[in-house]
Structures are given as C-alpha cells and as structure tokens.
Amino acid sequence: MERTFIMIKPDGVQRKLVSEIISRFELKGFTLLGLKLMSVNKELAEEHYGIHKERPFFKDLVQFICSSPVVAMVWEGEGVVASSRKIIGATNPLEADSGTIRGDFGINVGRNLIHGSDAIETAKGEINLWFNEQELISWEPTL
Ligand code: CMP
C-alpha cells in the first residue's frame, strides 16, 4: 500500500494547526502509521531539502525548519501521495485553492505550514530519512 511523508512545519505547530491538519488526512480516510513531535537538526533539514541546495532560499529554509518543533508523520492509503498534495495545495499559499490547507491557512511561500512528498519514490526516501522501522506501525483499520 502507498505511503507518504508529511511534515507540519514550525509555523503550523506554532499556529496550533496540528489537529486541524491531522483531521484533514483522517477525514479523507488515510491511515496514520507514524507520528512524532521533534526538533530538527541542521543535518536532517539539509538532507531533506538537498534538492533545493542551490536555491537562494535554502539557508533560510533550513534555519526555519530547525527553529522550533515540527510534527513528522507517515500516512498510508490508495493514491495517498497525489491525494495529499491536493489536500495540502500549491506551494505558494497565495496560489493555493480554498479548501486546501495552504489555501485556507497559509501566509506566504516561506511559511506554507506543511510539507508532503511529491512522488512515490520521494516518499520512500523521505520516510526512511525521518523514521526508523520501530517508529512505524503497519496496521489496517477493521471498523
Ligand atoms: P515544501 O513543500 O516543503 O518544499 C520546498 C520548500 O521550499 C517549500 O515547501 C517552501 O516552504 C520553500 N520555498 C519554495 N520556494 C520558496 C521561496 N521562493 N522562498 C522561500 N521558500 C521557498
């Protein structure tokens, strides 16, 4: 079954949007396999955002992700990677549709509340980077 990595960034945690964000994934019907509130060190942030290493915002982005706790999660479900991207909305909240997390609550591209893996392969790498096996529970809802 498909899995994705979702991170509520420091702005999402500071603005008390954790429950609102989690509920959107739950209500869609996805299954939570792992969740942790954590401080992010520079090495992890730089590796996670390595693809943006040459971009002018890279340093600020890494600094911001390390500035206060994030909530890291793994969600599972059919088409969860693409569906999560729809739930989250466009990278720039000013361009994100209403009804998406960024469209409803985001302020600007540097404070867009949440990260979601952009492809199935990326999700596998990000899940391995952020979680070890013991932190993930494989289970299926039966109710
Ligand atoms: P995310 O989905 O986590 O993936 C890369 C992040 O880089 C993105 O969300 C934004 O938070 C950030 N980002 C992208 N473009 C810019 C920009 N022009 N200025 C600042 N941050 C940016």
Side-chain angles (χ1 to χ4, degrees):
M1 183 66 91
E2 196 171 302
R3 295 177 176 185
T4 195
F5 171 71
I6 300 292
M7 169 181 46
I8 305 177
K9 298 181 185 180
D11 49 335
V13 176
Q14 290 195 26
R15 290 180 55 202
K16 321 287 185 200
L17 289 169
V18 172
S19 59
E20 170 71 35
I21 289 172
I22 288 176
S23 79
R24 293 190 180 211
F25 288 86
E26 284 193 316
L27 291 172
K28 181 70 180 173
F30 294 130
T31 302
L32 182 63
L33 305 188
L35 175 147
K36 55 184 174 182
L37 176 75
M38 60 185 285
S39 297
V40 183
N41 63 39
K42 194 165 171 250
E43 290 69 35
L44 176 57
E46 284 183 346
E47 179 146 9
H48 176 76
Y49 283 119
I51 197 171
H52 299 298
K53 205 164 49 191
E54 305 304 330
R55 309 286 288 276
F57 57 81
F58 180 70
K59 200 169 156 238
D60 283 351
L61 177 60
V62 166
Q63 202 170 31
F64 176 59
I65 293 299
C66 299
S67 66
S68 68
V70 306
V71 173
M73 298 179 279
V74 175
W75 290 87
E76 184 174 79
E78 207 179 317
V80 69
V81 172
S83 186
S84 295
R85 301 279 292 181
K86 284 190 188 159
I87 292 170
I88 290 169
T91 304
N92 186 343
L94 298 175
E95 290 161 12
D97 292 334
S98 291
T100 66
I101 292 166
R102 288 171 176 160
D104 289 350
F105 306 113
I107 292 168
N108 64 51
V109 72
R111 297 289 182 272
N112 65 359
L113 301 168
I114 179 167
H115 166 86
S117 306
D118 63 4
I120 294 174
E121 279 312 305
T122 321
K124 287 179 187 161
E126 291 179 350
I127 291 167
N128 283 336
L129 178 64
W130 288 81
F131 284 86
N132 60 46
E133 262 179 46
Q134 295 87 333
E135 293 173 318
L136 295 177
I137 298 176
S138 288
W139 69 286
E140 281 178 29
T142 53
L143 303 177

